[in-house]
Amino acid sequence: MPAPAVPFPEPTPLQLRPFRAVRYDADRVGDPSELLSPPHDDLHPAQIRALRRQPHHVARLLYADAPQDAARELGRWLRRGVLRRDERPALYVYQQQRGARILQRGLVGDLLLPRQAGQLLPHEDVSAHAVRQRAAHMSGLRAQLEPLLLAHRGTESTSARLVDHITRRTPVAVARTGQITHIMWACDDPAELALLSGGLSVGQALIADGHHRHAACLHLCADAAGPWTSSLALLVDTVTYPLRLSAIHRVLPALEPEKAARRAAEVARVLPLPGGPRPPGPGELVLTGGGEAWSITHPDPRTLEEALVGHPRQWARLPAAVSDHLLLRHAWSVPDLPGAVTYLHDIRQATTAVSATGSGSALLLPVISRDTVWELAGAGVLLPRKSTSFGPKPTAGLAMRVLGLS
């Protein structure tokens, strides 16, 4: 007699819980805009060094040489009132806008990291070395200074109406970084919190940004009762507020562009672009340097298959896999060493960086679709590192999670 079918468990909603955020006290420090940090990917080492020289800048905690030193500095800021902890647990409505245009709106809270597979979907691979570094920093600092950015496809209208109502109140924080204005409202009313939590019928979310921080939490959460079984997170309903998705381009300062074009022609179709560099189309990479440019398409299937041995078959259609494995490693023998490749999100910056003769080459990548990211993440296929950039990313230091405060 056949065994009875065992039903699959129903997915439980993700739990975004209220917490007592630690924030800059505007009465003590003035406008916090000068103390917040842009996303790490937007900063060069020289900019980080400049920010760390500013007293009370969050970069002094984010990029400290030793996490124990950062923890002591964090403690001093709390004792002196530079930072203060909110009196009541809250969920925080966080909005980013440029001028009058709302770019993003979501909820910041303490996310219980799910044990059930398929609820929180990473979409990019991580570096084990970077995860260990992040884990050591978080553990030593005992704080999270920036939230994970999570995308979900919401359907609950009650929560959306309540969030809209909350944004009509006086915000608890307003700051500006570059052209982006960051506004935050606290919701600490028990009845409203119950409605918000009940309306978050989110069974699945995509990690749009913060893969290494998420992996560091998992690395630290061996103790089921410890503080790293949850994480500071920003949950954005991308049906209402779609995140911007862009490619990440490769700059290779030691690679001579004409030589790169000749070698690329051995493994793909390479055609000159008389008009100079331009954004690549679907299925295309654009090589540029010294004012010249080439279109790279139709990689040789057999060579590509050899270059991607040990990786998912779906990688064959991903620009970053073709870029990094077929071209950088196979055709160009670019070493996997610091400084050999620089990653830039802005296509104009990448093109400008190699515009002078002798300044190297840039490989421009096309944007892949959101549906492709969700499809592969749902199938458990991680993209190559530095494949995508979701934004706008939350700023660091606006609402922090600090452990061990009474």
Side-chain angles (χ1 to χ4, degrees):
M1 182 176 180
V6 178
F8 288 103
E10 287 293 324
T12 56
L14 293 172
Q15 296 182 44
L16 189 69
R17 306 176 300 188
F19 76 112
R20 294 172 63 191
V22 169
R23 301 186 290 106
Y24 280 103
D25 188 340
D27 292 336
R28 294 293 302 272
V29 302
D31 184 358
S33 300
E34 301 302 319
L35 304 176
L36 306 179
S37 180
H40 182 274
D41 289 343
D42 294 346
L43 294 174
H44 298 295
Q47 293 174 299
I48 291 173
R49 289 193 294 271
L51 294 177
R52 285 180 59 185
R53 287 194 288 268
Q54 300 181 32
H56 305 141
H57 198 287
V58 74
R60 296 175 66 89
L61 308 179
L62 271 174
Y63 306 109
D65 296 324
Q68 290 76 16
D69 294 341
R72 284 191 286 271
E73 185 146 31
L74 174 60
R76 286 194 295 271
W77 294 1
L78 286 162
R79 289 191 296 273
R80 295 171 183 171
V82 173
L83 300 175
R84 64 175 179 81
R85 192 185 191 199
D86 286 346
E87 294 182 359
R88 302 172 64 181
L91 290 175
Y92 298 84
V93 177
Y94 175 52
Q95 178 172 295
Q96 296 181 70
Q97 62 186 65
R98 181 184 290 117
R101 181 188 169 207
I102 298 175
L103 304 176
Q104 180 198 89
R105 182 186 286 172
L107 286 174
V108 175
D110 180 36
L111 179 79
L112 184 65
L113 296 177
R115 299 285 181 176
Q116 190 172 337
Q119 284 188 278
L120 195 56
L121 302 176
H123 78 272
E124 254 186 29
D125 203 358
V126 294
S127 158
H129 174 68
V131 170
R132 289 192 296 270
Q133 284 185 322
R134 286 278 190 172
H137 183 270
M138 288 163 50
S139 178
L141 183 61
R142 291 187 60 77
Q144 290 177 292
L145 310 178
E146 52 189 331
L148 306 179
L149 176 58
L150 306 180
H152 78 97
R153 294 166 169 174
T155 58
E156 177 58 55
S157 59
T158 304
S159 294
R161 288 196 296 269
L162 178 54
V163 166
D164 185 64
H165 178 70
I166 291 169
T167 61
R168 298 172 191 173
R169 302 172 184 165
T170 303
V172 296
V174 178
R176 185 179 174 88
T177 58
Q179 298 181 339
I180 306 296
T181 300
H182 308 263
I183 311 174
M184 197 165 67
W185 298 263
C187 176
D188 57 13
D189 178 83
E192 291 183 341
L193 286 173
L195 285 173
L196 280 180
S197 299
L200 284 175
S201 54
V202 181
Q204 191 176 72
L206 180 82
I207 302 177
D209 185 65
H211 286 84
H212 286 93
R213 280 170 275 144
H214 171 251
C217 283
L218 297 181
H219 180 80
L220 293 169
C221 74
D223 178 6
W228 301 110
T229 56
S230 63
S231 175
L232 185 64
L234 166 62
L235 190 63
V236 177
D237 176 1
T238 54
V239 173
T240 308
Y241 297 102
L243 295 176
R244 183 186 70 245
L245 181 59
S246 58
I248 303 177
H249 311 289
R250 279 71 169 142
V251 174
L252 307 114
L255 184 65
E256 194 273 315
E258 290 187 356
K259 182 178 179 180
R262 288 195 301 272
R263 290 188 175 175
E266 298 172 4
V267 297
R269 180 187 296 174
V270 177
L271 298 174
L273 295 174
R278 56 163 173 74
E284 179 186 42
L285 303 172
V286 169
L287 171 69
T288 182
E292 297 185 90
W294 298 263
S295 166
I296 302 176
T297 59
H298 299 84
D300 177 68
R302 181 173 296 179
T303 310
L304 180 59
E305 183 179 359
E306 293 173 358
L308 295 179
V309 166
H311 297 289
R313 58 177 176 77
Q314 294 93 332
W315 276 27
R317 59 188 174 100
L318 297 178
V322 176
S323 161
D324 295 358
H325 292 267
L326 179 66
L327 294 177
L328 270 69
R329 290 175 178 76
H330 180 85
W332 298 336
S333 300
V334 175
D336 188 13
L337 295 172
V341 184
T342 301
Y343 300 94
L344 293 178
H345 297 69
D346 189 290
I347 195 168
R348 289 171 296 182
Q349 290 181 0
T351 303
T352 301
V354 298
S355 58
T357 302
S359 58
S361 304
L363 192 60
L364 310 179
L365 276 63
V367 182
I368 63 176
S369 72
R370 295 176 180 85
D371 287 343
T372 297
V373 175
W374 274 95
E375 172 199 336
L376 294 180
V381 177
L382 299 178
L383 306 184
R385 292 177 54 235
K386 302 292 184 182
S387 287
T388 60
S389 176
F390 279 96
K393 296 177 175 63
T395 189
L398 195 66
M400 297 172 271
R401 176 181 179 237
V402 179
L403 308 175
L405 296 181
S406 57

